[in-house]
């Protein structure tokens, strides 16, 4: 029989730090989804460079998917589901950058950086995530 996992409550400082990290991610994703819903010219130009469809409908679909996943992440009751879905969304972005041979640290890893911000913020503010992904000494 294994020893029970010690249950540490999330401190107020950790919760604030987590919400700040999550807030930065949420703000970026709202911006990203917003420019895809319009869609701005930079979105269609970048889509063409990446070999993706350049139609307004495709850009709007990506924007709506990103915003929906972000909304799930922003609400505490659905934040873990949102984090899992956003991880998949960001993984697609990383795969697309790898496919076109984009620079590693500025383009390819950008989705990884966002994923670290996403999960780090959630880990700091959510006790369930701390149980799921324990960091031990």
């Amino acid at each position: 029989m294994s020893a029970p996992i010690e249950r540490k409550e999330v401190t107020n400082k950790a919760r604030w730090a987590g919400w700040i990290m999550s807030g930065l991610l949420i703000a970026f994703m709202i911006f990203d989804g917003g420019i895809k819903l319009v869609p701005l010219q930079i979105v269609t130009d970048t889509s063409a460079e990446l070999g993706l469809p350049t139609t307004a409908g495709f850009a709007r679909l990506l924007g709506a998917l990103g915003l929906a996943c972000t909304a799930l992440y922003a609400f505490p009751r659905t934040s873990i589901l949102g984090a899992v879905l956003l991880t998949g969304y960001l993984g697609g972005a990383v795969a697309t950058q790898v496919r076109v041979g984009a620079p590693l640290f500025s383009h390819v890893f950008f989705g990884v950086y966002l994923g670290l911000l996403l999960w780090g913020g959630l880990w700091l503010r959510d006790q369930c995530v701390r149980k799921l992904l324990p960091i031990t000494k």
Side-chain angles (χ1 to χ4, degrees), residues 72-97:
L72 289 170
Y73 176 72
F75 293 104
R77 294 191 104 177
T78 57
S79 60
I80 295 173
L81 173 62
V84 170
L85 294 174
L86 276 172
T87 301
Y89 185 86
L90 294 171
V94 169
T96 299
Q97 295 293 340

Side-chain angles (χ1 to χ4, degrees), residues 41-85:
Q41 186 62 39
I42 189 70
V43 172
T44 53
D45 291 347
T46 304
S47 292
E49 292 171 11
L50 295 173
L52 298 173
T54 58
T55 63
F58 182 75
R60 288 185 181 117
L61 174 65
L62 285 180
L65 282 172
L67 288 171
C69 295
T70 302
L72 289 170
Y73 176 72
F75 293 104
R77 294 191 104 177
T78 57
S79 60
I80 295 173
L81 173 62
V84 170
L85 294 174

